[in-house]
Structure formats: structure tokens, C-alpha cells
């Protein structure tokens, strides 16, 4: 491919309506319409409300992404969209819009696994072509991937782009869910994770501690439903002992965050010991918005001499830029659909796995 392809990418897997335009790995525009404030009053994402908001927002976000990229739909060469995993009725909105667009303008269509987008998000470049990995992407493999989002906590072995083996995953709640559920116990509102990690900065390490889940298991799986129960009992005890939450909440958040980080580091270290040939560590997902989690995981990578590949902050949560980078590599590998019947054969897959 002599010239990098111009791609428009869509993501409506949860509560953000996202559209991005990329030239190869370079992000020309990335527009996200967030619904956080709408869902906050319900304490979490309500799929039907999210669907209605997606339907209302997607034409506007699409136009804005094209305008910011200074291109027209006629200029675009490929249309890409997340088809899973995610909330079924929300995935459907973006998928239908993107499929209709590809067919109407006779553009090849690229269906993208949302989790592959998170995995490859650290390979995105800005519009000037600057980023963490500017060249020699192939030299990073084989690699490990650690994906931590609202519904997913996964360890992936990456032989090369497009060839993955899942080494471990959560057996119940994901890290993001644990943060939000514990945040709710602490009356932080939705989403609770960002407040919890912020409060942890003011807490004293070791004053309140939590047992690290799956610490002694020989596999690479995670589990966080037990820590949620432990947190519930601990908040009840503390509220009986103290008059005000402010007397213990910072130390509580410090202890909870330390436990989460330690649980991730233990499994990551085990994976590194098991696969000594690994050269790089790719991370992605909204939980990496916590700079402390990002830094602590990075220390493990650097201690082992790995290249640490992580996305810029705007591409850590759900976004269409990451869908575009996954689509770019799919295009290079000729994994595109060109006829209307093949394009329409792609259906939403809420439980899609890497």
C-alpha cells in the first residue's frame, strides 16, 4: 500500500458516541459525545437510554469528525466500526450507521473487535505523525497485553498483530466494575473509579488493607467480586466506629487502590516469567486513566526491559480512534468486506472475545 488509507471509524459499544478519521495510524480527528452525566442519576449505564442518545448523536458526531479532519465522505477509503463486545442495543446503532454508510458510498467495510482496539491504542499517532511508537512496530512482538476497562480485565499473549491468545481474564467482576461498585458504597456517584483513585492520593498506605484476590492461584485469571464484598463489610465497620466518612475514606481508598495494583502486578509478573521471549507490553482501557495504575504497570515493564506501549489519555476510554488503528492493521492484512451482502452479514456480538 503506497499511501496510508483514509479511514472513518465508529464506536457505540457503551455510553459514548465516538467517530474518528485516521490517515493510516495518524488521527486526523476524534470526536466523542459522552453520556456520563445522563447516566449518573441512575448510578450506571442504562442501555436503552444510551441507545436513544446514540441515535440522536451519531449523525452530528459523524459530521463533526469529517469537518475537523477537513475531509469529505467521498475522500474516505474505508469505513470501520466496533461490532463487539459491548451492550447489544448500543452496538447496533453504530454498526447500522456504518454499514449503511459503506454501502451507500461503495466503501469497503472493516468490522473491529473493541478489545483489539484497546490493545492497539498505544500505536496511534497524532495528526503530525508523533507518538510513542513511530516506527519498527514489528520489533515489539511477541508481546503481552493487559486490558482493563469497565467490563474487562484480560491478559493477552500477542504473537503479532491479529494473532492473540487470551492467557487470563476476570472470573467475575472486572477492575472497572469493582471501582464503580465500591465508589457507590462511598457515595461517590457514577462513575466512582476516578474519585476513588483521586482520594487515594490523600490516604496513608497500610492503614486500611485488603486481601489480594487470586494471589496464590497458579493461573493468570483475576477475580474482584470478593473484594467488593470485603469493602462492603469494611465500610459498615468503619461507619459504626467513626462519626464521619471523612475520618477514614482517604485511607480506605489508598488501601483499595494498592490492592488492585498489587493484584495486577502479581499476574503480570507471573505471565512474564512464563513467557520470557516477550519484548513489549501493550496496555489499554479506561482504568488506565489512573496515572498511578499506568505508572506502576509501567515499572514492571521497564524492570524487565520491555517497550511499554500505552495510549494517550484521550484514547484510554472508549473511543473511535482505537477502532481506526485496529481497522488499519486489518486493511493491511486484507481483512475487509466489499459487497453489500458481506457487509450486512456482520451482526453485533455483545460477548465477542479476543
Amino acid at each position: 500500500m503506497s499511501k496510508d488509507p483514509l479511514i472513518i471509524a465508529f464506536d457505540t459499544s457503551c455510553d459514548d458516541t465516538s467517530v474518528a478519521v485516521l490517515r493510516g495510524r495518524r488521527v486526523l480527528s476524534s470526536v466523542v459525545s459522552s453520556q456520563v452525566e445522563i447516566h449518573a442519576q441512575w448510578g450506571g449505564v442504562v442501555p436503552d437510554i444510551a441507545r436513544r442518545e446514540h441515535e440522536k448523536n451519531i449523525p452530528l458526531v459523524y459530521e463533526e469528525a469529517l469537518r475537523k479532519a477537513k475531509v469529505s465522505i467521498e475522500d474516505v477509503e474505508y469505513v470501520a466500526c466496533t461490532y463487539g463486545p459491548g451492550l447489544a442495543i448500543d452496538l447496533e446503532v453504530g454498526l447500522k450507521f456504518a454499514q449503511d454508510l459503506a454501502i451507500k458510498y461503495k466503501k469497503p467495510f472493516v468490522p473491529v473487535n473493541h478489545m483489539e482496539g484497546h490493545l492497539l491504542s498505544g500505536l496511534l499517532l497524532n495528526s503530525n505523525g508523533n507518538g510513542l511508537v513511530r516506527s519498527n512496530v514489528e520489533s515489539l512482538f511477541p508481546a503481552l497485553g493487559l486490558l482493563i476497562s469497565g467490563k474487562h480485565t484480560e491478559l493477552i499473549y500477542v504473537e503479532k498483530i491479529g494473532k492473540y491468545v487470551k492467557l487470563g481474564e476476570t472470573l467475575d467482576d472486572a477492575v472497572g466494575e469493582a471501582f464503580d461498585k465500591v465508589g457507590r458504597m462511598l457515595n461517590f456517584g457514577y462513575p466512582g473509579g476516578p474519585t476513588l483513585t483521586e482520594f487515594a492520593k490523600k490516604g496513608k498506605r497500610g492503614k486500611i488493607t485488603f486481601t489480594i484476590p487470586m494471589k496464590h492461584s497458579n493461573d493468570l485469571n483475576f477475580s474482584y467480586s470478593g473484594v467488593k464484598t470485603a469493602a462492603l463489610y469494611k465500610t459498615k465497620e468503619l461507619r459504626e466506629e467513626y462519626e464521619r466518612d471523612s475520618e477514614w475514606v482517604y485511607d480506605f481508598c489508598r488501601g483499595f487502590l494498592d490492592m488492585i495494583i498489587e493484584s495486577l502486578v502479581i499476574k503480570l509478573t507471573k505471565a512474564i516469567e512464563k513467557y520470557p521471549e516477550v519484548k513489549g507490553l501493550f496496555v489499554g482501557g479506561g482504568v488506565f486513566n489512573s496515572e498511578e495504575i499506568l505508572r506502576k504497570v509501567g515499572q514492571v515493564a521497564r524492570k524487565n526491559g520491555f517497550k511499554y506501549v500505552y495510549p494517550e489519555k484521550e484514547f484510554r476510554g472508549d473511543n473511535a480512534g482505537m477502532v481506526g488503528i485496529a481497522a488499519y492493521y486489518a486493511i493491511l492484512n486484507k481483512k475487509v468486506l466489499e459487497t453489500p451482502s458481506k457487509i450486512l452479514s456482520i451482526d453485533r456480538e455483545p460477548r465477542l472475545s479476543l
Side-chain angles (χ1 to χ4, degrees):
M1 192 173 288
S2 57
K3 190 181 172 194
D4 284 335
L6 190 63
I7 305 160
I8 190 162
F10 296 83
D11 186 273
T12 61
S13 57
C14 191
D15 60 331
D16 289 335
T17 312
S18 312
V19 185
V21 178
L22 290 82
R23 169 72 73 186
R25 292 202 286 142
R26 289 189 299 128
V27 180
L28 306 184
S29 70
S30 175
V31 183
V32 179
S33 177
S34 174
Q35 301 176 20
V36 166
E37 288 180 15
I38 294 167
H39 296 283
Q41 60 187 306
W42 305 101
V45 177
V46 182
D48 197 45
I49 293 173
R51 176 182 57 82
R52 290 202 302 271
E53 288 298 310
H54 285 313
E55 288 171 345
K56 185 174 79 180
N57 293 331
I58 198 164
L60 307 172
V61 179
Y62 158 69
E63 292 291 349
E64 178 78 350
L66 287 173
R67 188 185 65 77
K68 284 191 167 179
K70 298 184 173 66
V71 299
S72 70
I73 188 60
E74 286 79 12
D75 300 325
V76 168
E77 294 163 86
Y78 295 88
V79 177
C81 186
T82 296
Y83 70 106
L87 300 170
I89 61 175
D90 301 321
L91 285 165
E92 197 173 277
V93 178
L95 188 56
K96 186 176 186 315
F97 190 93
Q99 286 169 320
D100 290 349
L101 198 68
I103 291 167
K104 181 180 177 182
Y105 289 98
K106 297 181 171 57
K107 309 289 183 185
F109 182 73
V110 189
V112 170
N113 182 321
H114 182 81
M115 298 313 292
E116 186 177 23
H118 276 310
L119 180 69
L120 302 179
S121 56
L123 296 176
L124 287 166
L125 304 174
N126 67 17
S127 58
N128 297 320
N130 294 321
L132 206 58
V133 184
R134 293 180 65 177
S135 59
N136 300 323
V137 173
E138 297 75 19
S139 67
L140 301 170
F141 304 106
L144 290 174
L146 178 62
L147 307 178
I148 322 174
S149 65
K151 297 284 183 191
H152 297 265
T153 304
E154 300 177 355
L155 256 175
I156 310 290
Y157 183 87
V158 187
E159 187 180 317
K160 61 180 182 179
I161 291 174
K163 199 157 187 188
Y164 313 116
V165 177
K166 192 181 287 183
L167 303 177
E169 63 187 330
T170 182
L171 304 175
D172 39 61
D173 284 356
V175 169
E177 286 174 301
F179 274 137
D180 287 338
K181 285 172 182 176
V182 172
R184 205 173 297 147
M185 293 172 201
L186 300 172
N187 301 315
F188 287 166
Y190 172 82
T195 308
L196 195 153
T197 54
E198 198 60 34
F199 271 42
K201 292 176 185 175
K202 296 180 182 176
K204 286 195 178 70
R205 185 164 273 127
K207 275 200 86 176
I208 295 176
T209 58
F210 291 85
T211 303
I212 296 158
M214 307 283 282
K215 184 178 181 178
H216 300 295
S217 74
N218 291 319
D219 57 32
L220 296 173
N221 290 323
F222 305 88
S223 170
Y224 296 101
S225 66
V227 300
K228 183 186 63 186
T229 308
L232 182 63
Y233 286 125
K234 202 155 282 196
T235 54
K236 281 182 178 173
E237 282 171 29
L238 291 162
R239 281 173 177 146
E240 283 168 12
E241 190 180 338
Y242 296 94
E243 278 187 35
R244 296 188 308 276
D245 286 7
S246 58
E247 294 177 71
W248 51 266
V249 72
Y250 298 110
D251 297 335
F252 181 100
C253 292
R254 179 73 266 160
F256 191 82
L257 181 58
D258 285 346
M259 173 273 298
I260 293 286
I261 290 172
E262 189 59 23
S263 74
L264 296 170
V265 166
I266 285 169
K267 295 297 179 171
L268 185 56
T269 304
K270 278 185 181 172
I272 291 166
E273 288 166 0
K274 197 170 178 182
Y275 300 97
E277 71 276 16
V278 161
K279 300 177 191 170
L281 175 62
F282 285 66
V283 299
V287 174
F288 281 106
N289 276 321
S290 162
E291 294 294 337
E292 191 171 344
I293 294 177
L294 187 75
R295 191 172 63 250
K296 294 283 188 184
V297 170
Q299 285 170 3
V300 177
R302 293 184 183 107
K303 189 174 87 176
N304 287 278
F306 292 175
K307 175 74 175 176
Y308 187 39
V309 184
Y310 60 90
E312 289 292 327
K313 193 148 192 165
E314 68 176 298
F315 299 115
R316 291 177 201 167
D318 292 347
N319 67 88
M322 69 181 203
V323 176
I325 190 77
Y328 169 66
Y329 285 104
I331 292 161
L332 294 185
N333 291 320
K334 298 185 168 50
K335 292 181 179 174
V336 302
L337 307 172
E338 302 204 17
T339 64
S341 61
K342 283 186 178 172
I343 292 169
L344 292 173
S345 72
I346 298 298
D347 197 4
R348 62 191 189 181
E349 289 193 36
R351 296 184 181 280
L352 186 66
S353 184
L354 257 189

